[in-house]
């Protein structure tokens, strides 16, 4: 698996954005058709299929990291991290993810689509 990062400037407050990334109700608005949470385990549902991920790291309004439970790579994860530009004060969402080398472009396009939906939900 190959690690890659994507960066998106989001016009929203850190708190509001973090809520959309770290709660089942927030993730249901843009990331999956439905999301349920029990403790640190999130169940994501898309068109009848489901996938479970464990929240393995969380720092309020800064970073949240998930690990897919069915992943064969124990070191892989997907992460949402915030950075604020010191000059412009722009809020950037940094997404770190892992994919097979030949699937990275496809995964990046999927993230672009998901983040477009997130921006729509936020009115950003």
């Amino acid at each position: 698996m190959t690690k890659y990062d994507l960066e998106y400037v989001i016009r929203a407050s850190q708190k509001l954005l973090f809520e959309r990334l770290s709660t089942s109700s927030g993730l249901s608005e843009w990331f999956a058709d439905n999301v349920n949470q029990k403790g640190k385990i999130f169940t994501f549902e898309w068109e009848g299929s489901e996938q479970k991920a464990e929240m393995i790291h969380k720092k309020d309004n800064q970073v949240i990291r998930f690990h897919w439970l069915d992943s064969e790579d124990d070191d892989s994860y997907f992460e949402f991290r915030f950075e604020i530009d010191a000059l412009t004060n722009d809020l950037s969402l940094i997404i770190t993810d892992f994919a097979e080398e030949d699937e990275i472009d496809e995964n990046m396009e999927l993230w672009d689509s998901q983040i477009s939906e997130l921006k729509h939900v936020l009115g950003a």
Side-chain angles (χ1 to χ4, degrees):
M1 299 285 262
T2 302
K3 179 180 173 181
Y4 63 94
D5 292 312
L6 300 166
E7 181 173 351
Y8 302 92
V9 174
I10 308 282
R11 306 223 184 282
S13 75
Q14 262 179 280
K15 186 177 182 200
L16 184 64
L17 181 56
F18 191 76
E19 189 177 298
R20 294 299 191 288
L21 304 174
S22 62
T23 65
S24 58
S25 60
L27 288 162
S28 291
E29 290 185 49
W30 68 277
F31 189 71
D33 297 336
N34 191 35
V35 181
N36 293 301
Q37 178 184 1
K38 284 190 178 160
K40 292 186 173 199
I41 305 298
F42 286 69
T43 303
F44 299 89
E45 297 175 19
W46 292 277
E47 298 174 1
S49 67
E50 70 176 39
Q51 199 170 1
K52 293 181 186 282
E54 179 181 6
M55 183 193 316
I56 56 175
H57 181 67
K58 177 180 174 183
K59 191 168 184 182
D60 282 351
N61 300 321
Q62 292 183 17
V63 64
I64 185 160
R65 182 181 291 181
F66 294 94
H67 172 73
W68 293 115
L69 296 181
D70 63 357
S71 173
E72 295 174 11
D73 183 351
D74 290 340
D75 295 328
S76 69
Y77 58 87
F78 66 100
E79 176 181 86
F80 303 118
R81 187 175 73 252
F82 299 157
E83 289 183 6
I84 297 179
D85 185 287
L87 293 175
T88 64
N89 224 21
D90 285 342
L91 173 63
S92 289
L93 171 62
I94 313 296
I95 296 175
T96 301
D97 200 0
F98 290 78
E100 297 295 338
E101 193 68 42
D102 61 344
E103 296 176 355
I104 290 178
D105 287 343
E106 184 180 324
N107 282 22
M108 288 178 153
E109 285 179 24
L110 181 59
W111 277 116
D112 285 348
S113 171
Q114 297 291 83
I115 297 305
S116 177
E117 181 63 24
L118 173 62
K119 287 179 175 181
H120 177 75
V121 165
L122 292 167

